[in-house]
Amino acid sequence: MSKSLVGNYIRKLRFDHNEMTQQQLADKVGVTRQTIVALEKGNYSPSLELAFRISHAFKLPLEEVFFYGENSEER
Amino acid sequence: MKAVSYMTYQEKKSIVSLISSILIFAAYCLYKYPQYPEGVMESKEIFHYWGSFVLVLTLVSIAAHIVISIIFNIFFRMTTGEKEPSFADELDKLIDLKAFRNSFFVFILGFLLAMGSLNFNQPSKVMFIILILSGFLSDVTGSLTRLYHYKKGV
């Protein structure tokens, strides 16, 4: 199974937000911790709804949490 | 930040489910198959035997899976100090759908083989064995699909 083309900065953003744990983020967006793990590993492209919920949890626009294709701009 | 690699709850559960399916099926077959009414040709007794084989296997599998799942959850809580997920989110549902699709494909293949065996004048015993094996293999396929997707992603 190839890595998802939709990448994200979730791991970094969690740490920038008071070292939020995976479980805390999962509770905020209504998924299991395992789904956050899969997202951070790049093993899963979230639904549009989940992507928006995660962006809202960080109070950031979608494109500052997710990117498509190669991550050319390292945050 | 160093990535921590470990098995998630779902991966562990898929492995437990896979092993328990194999053990339950093997143990049940070892217990039940010697009771096959030998020497009796296509009679009511034979169909009664296969009917009870499938029904009891289904009930035993369901009961054993429930018990094993409860024991696994208790063990998981004790060893990790973490609570098991109480709901299925979009990733779980997607993986379940994929597992169901593969599992269904295997069963239908087995069903067609079983019907084919009747077409080629095989005894009903062959047809029932293929049907039961395809049920078992479809269960194993479902567990393997879940394990694969939880490990490698969707």
Side-chain angles (χ1 to χ4, degrees), chain A residues 32-35 43-44 47, chain B residues 6 10 82 89-90 148 153-154:
Chain A
T32 61
R33 191 179 67 79
Q34 282 72 24
T35 299
N43 284 343
Y44 175 53
S47 67
Chain B
Y6 57 92
Q10 283 91 345
E82 207 178 310
D89 64 15
E90 58 176 53
Y148 177 80
V154 182

Side-chain angles (χ1 to χ4, degrees), chain B:
Chain B
M1 191 69 202
K2 193 183 164 202
V4 184
S5 177
Y6 57 92
M7 260 199 259
T8 62
Y9 169 81
Q10 283 91 345
E11 283 169 38
K12 287 176 190 165
K13 198 170 180 190
S14 303
I15 292 173
V16 168
S17 167
L18 180 66
I19 294 170
S20 57
S21 294
I22 294 169
L23 289 180
I24 293 164
F25 184 76
Y28 183 76
C29 286
L30 284 174
Y31 160 75
K32 192 79 178 176
Y33 197 72
Q35 296 171 17
Y36 182 75
E38 289 292 348
V40 186
M41 295 300 284
E42 311 292 315
S43 71
K44 211 174 162 184
E45 204 182 333
I46 295 273
F47 290 108
H48 180 266
Y49 169 82
W50 286 116
S52 78
F53 190 107
V54 173
L55 277 181
V56 176
L57 175 61
T58 308
L59 293 176
V60 166
S61 292
I62 293 170
H65 271 113
I66 291 171
V67 172
I68 289 167
S69 174
I70 292 169
I71 294 170
F72 170 72
N73 284 347
I74 294 169
F75 188 72
F76 180 80
R77 280 186 196 195
M78 278 165 55
T79 51
T80 62
E82 207 178 310
K83 243 182 116 181
E84 71 279 2
S86 55
F87 64 98
D89 64 15
E90 58 176 53
L91 177 61
D92 300 317
K93 285 175 188 162
L94 185 61
I95 290 176
D96 271 348
L97 274 176
K98 284 175 185 281
F100 184 72
R101 180 196 60 189
N102 292 352
S103 164
F104 183 72
F105 177 77
V106 170
F107 184 74
I108 289 298
L109 207 67
F111 180 78
L112 291 176
L113 267 175
M115 294 304 114
S117 74
L118 287 182
N119 190 41
F120 291 106
N121 300 319
Q122 295 296 312
S124 62
K125 180 182 179 178
V126 174
M127 187 267 287
F128 280 113
I129 289 175
I130 295 174
L131 263 185
I132 291 165
L133 269 180
S134 64
F136 165 68
L137 288 177
S138 77
D139 192 14
V140 168
T141 306
S143 297
L144 283 175
T145 307
R146 274 189 195 89
L147 181 61
Y148 177 80
H149 285 299
Y150 276 120
K151 217 164 180 60
K152 299 281 178 188
V154 182

